[in-house]
Each structure stands twice: as C-alpha cells, then as structure tokens.
Amino acid sequence: MGLLSTLTVATCYCSGRLVARHFSRGVRPGGEELSRLRLDDLAPTPRLELLFGLSPCLLALRAARRRVARLLLQAGRAGLQGERAELLREAEARDIPVLRPRRQKLDALCRHHVHQGVCMEVSPLRPRPCREAEEVSPGDNHQRLCLVLEGLQDPRNLGAVLRSAHFLGVDKVIISQRNSCPLTPVVSKASAGAMEVMDVFSTDDLAGFLQAKAQQGWLVAGTVGCPGPEVSQSSQTPIMSCLEFLWDQPTLLVLGNEGSGLSQEVQASCRLLLTILPGRQLPPGLESLNVSVAAGILLHSICSQRKGFHAVEKTEKPLKDPQEPPAMSKGL
C-alpha cells in the first residue's frame, strides 16, 4: 500500500496500442510530461511515410498534394524563425498536429538521414499516369521540353535530376514504371523539395509513348555517353554533341539507366542521340558522366536557347571587385 500511495499509474492510448507509464506523486499527466509520453511511440503509421528536410516539408504543405498526419519539429530549438516558423504556421492553420521530439528520436525515425530538425508523416506521392497529361499535341510553342527517364534506380540521382529539371524550366517529367525508383522521401530530399511541385508522370510502355509523341510532332532525342569510333559507325541513329543541337521544335529528351543507358527498344524510338564531349582523352571506364550531372549539362545546353533565358544576365550590372578601391573624385 505504501508503494501504491507514492505512485500513480497512467494509461494512454498511443499509435494503436495501450501504453502504461508511472508518475511520481505530485506530477500530473499533462503538459511537458504528457507530450513526452506521446513521443515514446512514434513509429510511422502503416500506409504513410516520413518526409524529412525543411524544404521538402514546406513545399509539400504548400503544394497540398499529400495528406499530412502530423508535423514533427525538433525540440530544443530556441525560437522558431524563418521557414521553420512558416512551417509551423502552415500546420496550425490546417489543424495538423505538431509534436516536438528530441533530436535522437528524429534521427532514429529518419534512419539518420539529414532531417534538419523537421519531419512530416504524410501519404505517399506517386507519379500520375501519362494519360492525365493535358496536352495532346505541342501546338504553336516550338520550345517545349519534356524529360523522359528510363530505369533510373538511385533515389539521389532521381532527386538531383528533378531539381535540375524544375530549375531549368522543363515542362514535364515522364518516368518508366519498370526498373525505376519510386518517389520516396529520399528522392524528395535530394531534389530539395522539387519533387513536391514538379509534374511527374509514368508509363508502362515507354517505347510506345515515344512513338506516339513522335507522330504528334515531338522530336525524340536520346542520350549516350562519349561514343568511340566503333560506336559511331555501328549506330543507326545519328549522334551529335549537345552543343550543336538546335532547339527548333518540341523535344523529348530521354535519359537511360545509370549503368546500361537506354534500352535498345527505346533507343530505336529516338530520332537522334545527344552526347557530351569530354575535355581530354579518357581511360576506359570514365567515358560517361553521372546521370544527374549529365542531365544538368544537357538541359542547360537546350534551355539556354529559350527566348529570354539570358535576359536577366544582360540587365544586371556587373559586380565590382571587392578588392578594387573606391573611385576617387576628380577634385581630390
């Protein structure tokens, strides 16, 4: 009886199971202690996933494409400011529960990925079927660009490609369903949240999709690594440097798998192949670039031909050399 008089048993329902905890006399199950108990069991709910990183979480809230179950903000940060404060305001405006776990708990939940003290439990984000794409034909706009990805498997590569595509103004991204990485939280973090706002579609018949687009007036341009003499002679599809490519019609740029590149079926659907020429003689095994780096170079080479692409550079004044002394007046 003496032991029972000094302890009070509290039982709470947390994440689908009962959790019992003991409180010392005088400590009520409320406030910080109750918040701590609610955080003792933060395993992600089935059919939901844990999105992590400041930009992915903030852009996911703004885009409103996902169902958000709860927001986790790292405890101990003195005064939330900037984007973290905005994230909290967005969550409170939508009545999303906000919890404040310690960093060790967030590290464990995110499997020690870099979360920046911000996580959200959200519904998965999946590519839309290609039939949901709005336009059927390119219309009068000759400078349309869609990026097609066949069999990209590394989530960080996919995220980096999506970030470059969104930054450089690609209209849409189409990925193959077979042997491709899904749109995971790792992809979203690698894309700095671009995955949350980018239009991403998928198809289970990539070759058929490319052939249908070619009949609608699109140019299908594949990509290959630096070709040797034997590759150039054996290829039935013309190969040219991306610097020589003239963007004068709507284009589908097709990138292949990290190791094997484009499949023969998809490559046969391409009208031409673009490549990036190296700056020196390369040893065997280094004839190609990482797919995300190659995507950035190819997309910039094409998108820089867009009207108005360099307008900002021309209007801005050149920066002064910080080591250059200030101009002296003639009177002195």
Side-chain angles (χ1 to χ4, degrees), residues 73-79 100-102:
L73 289 175
Q74 180 179 323
R77 289 183 177 270
R100 301 298 302 272
R102 298 183 177 91

Side-chain angles (χ1 to χ4, degrees), residues 185-215:
V186 176
V187 176
S188 185
K189 183 64 170 66
S191 72
M195 187 189 89
E196 306 298 326
V197 297
M198 191 75 186
D199 287 329
V200 182
F201 300 85
S202 67
T203 176
D204 56 356
D205 182 12
L206 190 55
F209 169 79
L210 296 176
Q211 294 167 9
K213 285 295 182 182
Q215 294 177 358

Side-chain angles (χ1 to χ4, degrees), residues 9-10 16-17 42-43 64-65 72 102 131 143 146 161 196 229 246 252 254 259 276 291 298 322-323:
V9 179
R17 62 174 182 166
L42 276 180
R65 294 179 174 180
L72 311 178
R102 298 183 177 91
R131 63 178 178 272
Q143 290 192 322
C146 292
V161 170
E196 306 298 326
L246 179 61
L252 294 166
V254 191
I276 302 171
V291 65
L298 290 162
Q323 298 180 355

